[in-house]
Amino acid sequence: MPNNYIFGYGSLICKSSCQKTGEIGKTYPVTIKRLERQWNLVVPELNVCAVGVIENTEAECNGLLIEITKEELAKFDQRELPFGYSRKMVSSDDIILGNKE
């Protein structure tokens, strides 16, 4: 049973992209307070610049909250961490469920 969530704000918004990495559960559209999306993650091995987020108390970032098991979480860590991403805890107070208009 999924007991973890990851926040997808770039390629993880795409279900088929997620499924190439591991099994996911339900997804929920959300906005996360205090995060700002930027093209700021340079990946020389792939010759690309990828989307990342930075902390910004004045910003918000929309995306998907994705249900995931602990076992599947390890697969997403293997996918994302080598390229400079890091996993951070998000406070439930900073999560706005649904699409923010």
Side-chain angles (χ1 to χ4, degrees):
M1 172 145 205
N3 57 0
N4 297 283
Y5 295 87
I6 54 177
F7 175 56
Y9 55 85
S11 63
L12 292 181
I13 290 174
C14 177
K15 188 174 184 176
S16 63
S17 179
C18 284
Q19 291 174 332
K20 288 179 185 176
T21 302
E23 293 184 37
I24 61 170
K26 294 180 182 177
T27 60
Y28 306 91
V30 296
T31 300
I32 306 290
K33 296 187 270 185
R34 297 184 244 294
L35 291 181
E36 179 180 346
R37 180 187 288 114
Q38 294 184 344
W39 289 96
N40 64 354
L41 188 65
V42 177
V43 185
E45 298 88 351
L46 300 177
N47 199 31
V48 299
C49 182
V51 176
V53 294
I54 63 166
E55 293 182 35
N56 178 343
T57 58
E58 303 299 317
E60 295 179 335
C61 182
N62 65 326
L64 290 177
L65 207 57
I66 303 164
E67 283 185 335
I68 193 163
T69 64
K70 186 176 181 180
E71 294 76 24
E72 295 299 309
L73 182 59
K75 294 177 185 177
F76 284 88
D77 281 348
Q78 288 176 344
R79 167 187 166 150
E80 302 290 336
L81 298 181
F83 298 108
Y85 290 96
S86 59
R87 191 160 19 120
K88 305 284 185 190
M89 185 72 76
V90 174
S91 169
S92 60
D93 293 339
D94 289 336
I95 300 172
I96 303 167
L97 291 174
N99 289 324
K100 188 173 179 193
E101 301 295 323

